[in-house]
Amino acid sequence: QVQLVESGGGLVQAGGSLRLPCAASGRTLSNYAIGWFRQAPGKEREFVAALKWSGSNSDFEDSLKGRFTISRHNAKNTVYLQMNDLKPEDTAVYYCAGQPSRVGLPISRFENWFDSWGQGTQVTVSS
């Protein structure tokens, strides 16, 4: 298990941008993938993106490609979700989550594979 703290949420107008950092720590961090989920009011939590702490493996929800990107800064133990051209439907609580790496398998977007979760940060996009 790793410890995760996400932040950077807030109110932004449609078309604007936000960058959400997820600060990570833990003895086994190097063996994890770090991902982002979001949960809009009245809806189930949905996968956004994830990447491994080391290596090149990553995964992204198809509908968000081109607007959202995920990156990491290892020296800061931080994974970032960059959100551009935000739309009102992006309004949600955004969570970062940790997934133990699975040898020989790609990153899973199945929620149950993630065993560590941050508290969430609210993103509100106004029209």
Side-chain angles (χ1 to χ4, degrees), residues 19-101:
R19 188 178 72 163
L20 307 182
C22 174
S25 62
R27 292 167 61 106
T28 60
L29 180 60
S30 63
N31 298 320
Y32 269 71
I34 305 297
W36 287 91
F37 289 77
R38 67 183 186 181
Q39 187 167 23
K43 296 184 178 180
E44 295 183 350
R45 189 159 51 192
E46 65 175 343
F47 174 82
V48 175
L51 84 170
K52 289 189 174 183
W53 190 254
S54 59
S56 59
N57 288 354
S58 63
D59 189 26
F60 229 103
E61 205 289 308
D62 289 343
S63 66
L64 299 177
K65 290 181 179 178
R67 293 196 300 119
F68 290 12
T69 59
I70 188 169
S71 62
R72 67 175 185 263
H73 191 125
N74 287 5
K76 295 182 178 180
N77 288 347
T78 301
V79 171
Y80 299 93
L81 181 67
Q82 178 68 45
M83 306 185 295
N84 299 318
D85 191 25
L86 284 162
K87 302 176 180 180
E89 53 263 40
D90 296 319
T91 295
V93 177
Y94 284 72
Y95 300 88
C96 63
Q99 174 185 136
S101 296

